[in-house]
Amino acid sequence: MTEPLGIRELADRTGVSAHTLRYYEAAGLMIPVPRDRRRRRAYTEEHVRWVAFLLRLRDGGMRIARVREYAALTRTRSQAGQRRRLAILRAHRDELCERIARLTDHLEVLERKVAGGCAPDLVPKRSRR
Amino acid sequence: MTEPLGIRELADRTGVSAHTLRYYEAAGLMIPVPRDRRRRRAYTEEHVRWVAFLLRLRDGGMRIARVREYAALTRTRSQAGQRRRLAILRAHRDELCERIARLTDHLEVLERKVAGGCAPDLVPKRSRR
DNA sequence: CCTTGCATTCGAGCGCACTCGAAGACCGAG
DNA sequence: CTCGGTCTTCGAGTGCGCTCGAATGCAAGG
């Protein structure tokens, strides 16, 4: 039985500004936000978790539009909805994998360049793997 | 002794449009681009390599402004310039590491969610942490 | 009573990195 | 001579994701 959180609190706990929280809500990225009798947003711990996850998706490069779709589906009870939800996550996971692979590759190249300290064209070529 | 490449060729070989290649040049992201006697851009294999590397930097999230700085430094012979160049690459490498770490973390969370197939709040709570 | 905090709606602005298009010229090949 | 590809310069448009501010209102707490 936790006290509901005001927008300020949620902002503080998630690092997302109040302005942006309202924007997220308006943009359909949030799960439903109940109001108290004063019409103020009454967030719960679930919202904290939701925002944390949303930030992961965003930081992972998921587009707002996708997050919106995903959020909308959390309101669905249908089988199809659940499948779609899962599909989105799986697709995102795959993208994540690819990006990590690419970044890792970039990193490798960079390491060599930094370690070598000289331009790659000055490095004597060895037969390529 | 390779034939110099026209802008079309470089575009084809790098996947960057001619328009964007001109933009890159004007924006100071390129190494010097010589012209033939017709005033047309005469690229070399070095440009192919440069653009490839530049794309790595960009895909790794390096800002245009930074790339510009880096490109400018490749024209420098000074010690300080070389040190700065190296510093940029090292800093970028560090950023890359951090991003990979973060993405990997996101991926893990996602894997659990996808594998579980159910919302985390529906999972029986064990004593937290 | 007055201040504070949050509410709503609206629209503008920003930073980034392209992306496009137009206009007009050049120049070599067919 | 015409055509195609390139040149230059210019400015405007696009998409994304905020970010900010203004205006106006309400309700509780000091």
Side-chain angles (χ1 to χ4, degrees), chain B residues 6-8 22 35 39-41:
Chain B
I7 197 166
R8 201 86 287 237
R22 291 195 199 98
R35 309 299 158 109
R39 320 251 62 211
R40 290 142 154 270
R41 290 167 177 82

Side-chain angles (χ1 to χ4, degrees), chain B:
Chain B
M1 190 106 299
T2 326
E3 297 288 275
L5 297 86
I7 197 166
R8 201 86 287 237
E9 273 113 334
L10 189 59
D12 290 346
R13 293 188 46 180
T14 60
V16 177
S17 74
H19 229 115
T20 299
L21 284 175
R22 291 195 199 98
Y23 162 73
Y24 277 170
E25 189 181 338
L29 308 189
M30 294 295 286
I31 52 181
V33 179
R35 309 299 158 109
D36 62 13
R37 78 211 65 77
R38 288 204 256 160
R39 320 251 62 211
R40 290 142 154 270
R41 290 167 177 82
Y43 297 106
T44 66
E45 289 300 320
E46 210 194 328
H47 290 95
V48 176
R49 270 177 268 131
W50 174 265
V51 172
F53 184 57
L54 153 39
L55 289 179
R56 277 186 191 276
L57 294 182
R58 295 287 304 114
D59 191 51
M62 187 182 285
R63 303 230 177 259
I64 291 285
R66 257 293 146 59
V67 180
R68 168 157 42 236
E69 190 187 355
Y70 182 80
L73 290 170
T74 64
R75 304 177 60 96
T76 301
R77 287 281 145 265
S78 80
Q79 276 295 144
Q82 297 313 302
R83 264 186 280 110
R84 178 75 187 121
R85 232 155 77 91
L86 203 53
I88 289 176
L89 292 190
R90 276 205 241 271
H92 185 58
R93 176 200 54 190
D94 294 349
E95 273 167 39
L96 230 35
C97 283
E98 275 170 42
R99 304 205 25 183
I100 290 171
R102 279 213 318 282
L103 292 187
T104 303
D105 194 46
H106 299 339
L107 180 60
E108 243 175 73
V109 169
L110 211 50
E111 288 289 15
R112 273 204 295 278
K113 228 181 160 90
V114 169
C118 59
D121 10 356
L122 298 181
V123 175
K125 290 198 178 76
R126 265 159 309 179
S127 62
R128 177 180 307 292
R129 161 190 19 205

Side-chain angles (χ1 to χ4, degrees), chain A:
Chain A
M1 193 101 305
T2 325
E3 298 288 276
L5 296 86
I7 197 167
R8 202 86 287 235
E9 273 113 334
L10 189 60
D12 290 346
R13 292 188 48 181
T14 60
V16 177
S17 74
H19 229 117
T20 300
L21 284 176
R22 291 195 198 98
Y23 162 73
Y24 277 170
E25 189 181 340
L29 308 189
M30 294 295 286
I31 52 181
V33 179
R35 308 300 158 109
D36 62 12
R37 78 211 64 77
R38 288 204 255 160
R39 319 253 60 209
R40 289 145 156 269
R41 289 168 177 81
Y43 296 106
T44 65
E45 290 299 321
E46 210 194 328
H47 291 95
V48 176
R49 269 177 270 131
W50 174 264
V51 172
F53 184 56
L54 153 40
L55 289 179
R56 277 185 190 278
L57 295 181
R58 294 287 304 115
D59 192 50
M62 187 182 286
R63 304 235 177 255
I64 291 284
R66 256 292 147 52
V67 180
R68 168 159 42 238
E69 190 187 354
Y70 183 80
L73 289 170
T74 64
R75 304 176 59 96
T76 301
R77 287 282 143 266
S78 81
Q79 276 294 144
Q82 299 312 302
R83 264 186 281 109
R84 177 76 188 119
R85 233 156 76 91
L86 203 53
I88 289 176
L89 292 190
R90 276 205 240 270
H92 185 57
R93 176 200 53 190
D94 294 347
E95 273 167 38
L96 231 35
C97 284
E98 275 170 41
R99 302 201 29 161
I100 290 172
R102 279 212 319 281
L103 291 187
T104 302
D105 195 45
H106 299 338
L107 180 59
E108 242 175 74
V109 169
L110 212 49
E111 289 288 15
R112 273 203 295 278
K113 227 181 159 92
V114 168
C118 58
D121 10 355
L122 299 181
V123 175
K125 290 198 180 75
R126 264 162 310 183
S127 62
R128 178 185 314 292
R129 166 185 2 247

